[in-house]
Amino acid sequence: MKILSVVGARPNYVKLVAVHDVFSRFFEHVVVDTGQHYDYEMNRVFFEQLEVPEPDYFLGVGSGSHGYQVGEIVKRVEEVLQRERPDFVVVYGDTNSTLGGALAAVKAGFRVGHVEAGLRSFDMSMPEEVNRRVVDHVSHLLFAPTGSAYRNLLAERVPGRVFVTGDVHVRALKRWLPIAEERSHVLERLGLDPGYVVVTLHRAENTDDPARLSKIVGLLVGLARRERVVFPVHPRTRKRLVDLGLWEGLSGSGIVLSEPLGYLDFLKLLSNSRLVVTDSGGVQREAYLLRKPVVVLRGVTEWVELVESGLALLVDVESGLDPERILDWRPSGYVEGLLGDEHAPEKIAEILKGYLESGNF
C-alpha cells in the first residue's frame, strides 16, 4: 500500500516529522515537498536535523501570490500523482500546499486524508480558514485533533469519514524536546538566560495591515522595557517591517532579533522561556504542551480548548495592546490531555490501513 504525503511549509514539516516513522512501517511512504517554503530554516533544516529522509520529489514552487502558489502546486503535484499512482494522498494543516495537494488529488481521482481536520476560526478573511474548509470538504478521511474540531466537521456535514485522533504535534514534541535540550546551543548563541519572552509573528492579518503591524511593534517595544524579549523573525514579516519603516524601531529597542530557527533550536528556546506571544497555531500548541503561558495576538483562534481552559489569552490587536496586562497574565491552571496523546500517528496509520484493506469507500 502506497501513501503519498504532500508538504511544503514549515507547519507541514513538523507534522511530517511526527508521522513519518509510523507511516514508513505501515506503508510505502512517498514524500512530495512543494517548496512553498524554501529558506533553509523553514525547509531544509527539518530534513537534515530530524531524521526524515530527503523528499522523493521537490517541486520548487517558491513564493508568489496565493493563487499562483496553489495553481503551481496543483499542476506539479498532479504530475507526480500520475507517475506514482498512490493508494491514498495525505495532506497536513492549512497551508497553500495543503490546499493544492488536496485539489490535485481529488481532481485526478485519488483519495485524500486530512491530518488536522476540522479546525475553525470562523474568519473567512484568513487564507488558512479558506484552505482548511475547502480541504475538509474534498477529503475522504478526516483526522480531527480535538473534540471541537470533530464537532465542527459534523455540523458542516462533510462527506468524508471523521475520526478524533489527537494532535500529532504531541508526538513530535515529546520525541524531539529531550534531543533539543541536549543538542541545541541557541541560548548561548543569542546570549540568553532562561526566563525571557518569546515572540513569533507571521499571519497575514497582522503583517499585511500597516496599522496592526505598527501596534504590534509598539507592544513588543513596551514588553522589552520590562523583560528580555527574543523574536525569531519570519522572512515575510521582516520584509514587511523593513518596507513600512518599522524595523529600525525594533532593532533599537533591545529586543533580541534572529533569523528563523530550526525546529530543535526553537523547541529549546520555547522550553526555557517564561511567556510566549504569538499568532501561530503551532506555537500555541507547543506552548501549551510545554506548560508555558501563551498570549495569542488574534481576535479568534482555532485552538478553542486552550482558551476555554484558561491556558491561552486572546488579545485582539484592534482593541488595544497593554504590555503590563500581557506580562502579568498567568493561566488559571494546567489541564492535561487537551490535544490527546503521543499515539495520534499510529491511530491515523491504522485507520488508513483498515480502509485500504477493506476497500470500504
Side-chain angles (χ1 to χ4, degrees):
M1 294 179 287
K2 182 188 293 187
I3 299 294
L4 185 143
S5 287
V6 179
V7 296
R10 183 183 177 110
N12 303 149
Y13 301 135
V14 177
K15 298 170 187 63
L16 178 67
V17 164
V19 306
H20 178 72
D21 286 351
V22 176
F23 278 17
S24 296
R25 292 201 306 268
F26 278 75
F27 317 107
E28 179 186 351
H29 188 204
V30 177
V31 176
V32 177
D33 184 346
T34 69
Q36 177 185 337
H37 279 172
Y38 49 88
D39 297 86
Y40 175 79
E41 298 294 357
M42 307 289 283
N43 178 310
R44 300 304 315 138
V45 69
F46 284 86
F47 295 96
E48 292 181 8
Q49 291 187 356
L50 301 184
E51 300 175 7
V52 177
E54 288 289 314
D56 299 278
Y57 296 89
F58 182 77
L59 304 185
V61 169
S63 61
S65 69
H66 290 285
Y68 170 82
Q69 276 193 336
V70 173
E72 288 298 308
I73 291 166
V74 170
K75 289 191 295 184
R76 300 182 196 193
V77 170
E78 182 181 45
E79 294 174 0
V80 176
L81 293 174
Q82 298 298 350
R83 185 177 304 121
E84 290 288 341
R85 310 298 303 178
D87 296 292
F88 227 96
V89 177
V90 179
V91 296
Y92 305 81
D94 56 18
T95 69
N96 285 344
S97 293
T98 313
L99 176 59
L103 290 177
V106 296
K107 296 296 281 186
F110 295 92
R111 293 168 291 191
V112 176
H114 185 199
V115 173
E116 204 174 273
L119 298 183
R120 296 291 183 269
S121 68
F122 301 100
D123 179 1
M124 289 298 288
S125 68
M126 291 176 54
E128 297 88 351
E129 181 77 358
V130 175
N131 291 349
R132 61 173 74 106
R133 283 177 178 264
V134 174
V135 172
D136 283 341
H137 281 266
V138 301
S139 294
H140 299 78
L141 296 179
L142 298 104
F143 306 113
T146 64
S148 65
Y150 176 81
R151 291 188 292 274
N152 289 337
L153 294 168
L154 295 187
E156 291 177 17
R157 298 180 181 272
V158 295
R161 295 290 305 276
V162 183
F163 303 86
V164 179
T165 60
D167 181 16
V168 298
H169 276 243
V170 180
R171 172 67 155 269
L173 188 140
K174 286 194 173 183
R175 178 180 177 188
W176 290 101
L177 179 61
I179 297 170
E181 293 286 4
E182 178 184 345
R183 293 184 189 172
S184 173
H185 302 287
V186 66
L187 269 63
E188 295 88 339
R189 194 166 72 245
L190 297 179
L192 297 169
D193 294 319
Y196 42 80
V197 177
V198 172
V199 175
T200 77
L201 186 73
H202 78 281
R203 287 196 179 270
E205 64 195 85
N206 286 328
T207 61
D208 287 359
D209 184 325
R212 288 175 69 92
L213 189 56
S214 181
K215 288 180 181 179
I216 292 171
V217 168
L219 168 68
L220 301 187
V221 171
L223 297 177
R225 292 194 186 104
R226 224 181 94 177
E227 294 200 24
R228 190 74 154 159
V229 175
V230 56
F231 181 12
V233 188
H234 190 286
R236 186 171 171 278
T237 303
R238 181 186 290 266
K239 183 177 187 306
R240 292 292 294 164
L241 289 166
V242 171
D243 290 346
L244 294 170
L246 298 170
W247 183 255
E248 288 188 4
L250 274 182
S251 60
S253 65
I255 296 172
V256 179
L257 300 168
S258 81
E259 298 296 323
L261 298 175
Y263 188 58
L264 295 183
D265 281 344
F266 190 68
L267 283 185
K268 178 75 172 278
L269 190 73
L270 277 185
S271 70
N272 286 274
S273 69
R274 84 143 195 94
L275 173 69
V276 180
V277 179
T278 186
D279 61 6
S280 162
V283 176
Q284 288 175 56
R285 284 172 284 172
E286 288 161 348
Y288 159 72
L289 293 169
L290 291 167
R291 303 191 176 212
K292 303 296 179 182
V294 57
V295 174
V296 182
L297 297 180
R298 294 167 56 194
V300 294
T301 179
E302 308 79 23
W303 299 97
V304 295
E305 284 87 353
L306 303 186
V307 176
E308 290 173 351
S309 299
L311 298 170
L313 175 68
L314 281 178
V315 175
D316 189 350
V317 175
E318 296 295 334
S319 301
L321 299 172
D322 181 356
E324 298 302 317
R325 178 194 176 207
I326 287 173
L327 289 174
D328 293 340
W329 177 74
R330 297 291 186 277
S332 55
Y334 196 75
V335 181
E336 293 279 0
L338 292 177
L339 303 180
D341 59 31
E342 66 268 33
H343 300 299
E346 284 88 356
K347 294 174 185 175
I348 292 168
E350 287 166 1
I351 293 166
L352 283 166
K353 183 173 182 288
Y355 267 70
L356 288 175
E357 289 178 341
S358 70
N360 184 25
F361 289 94

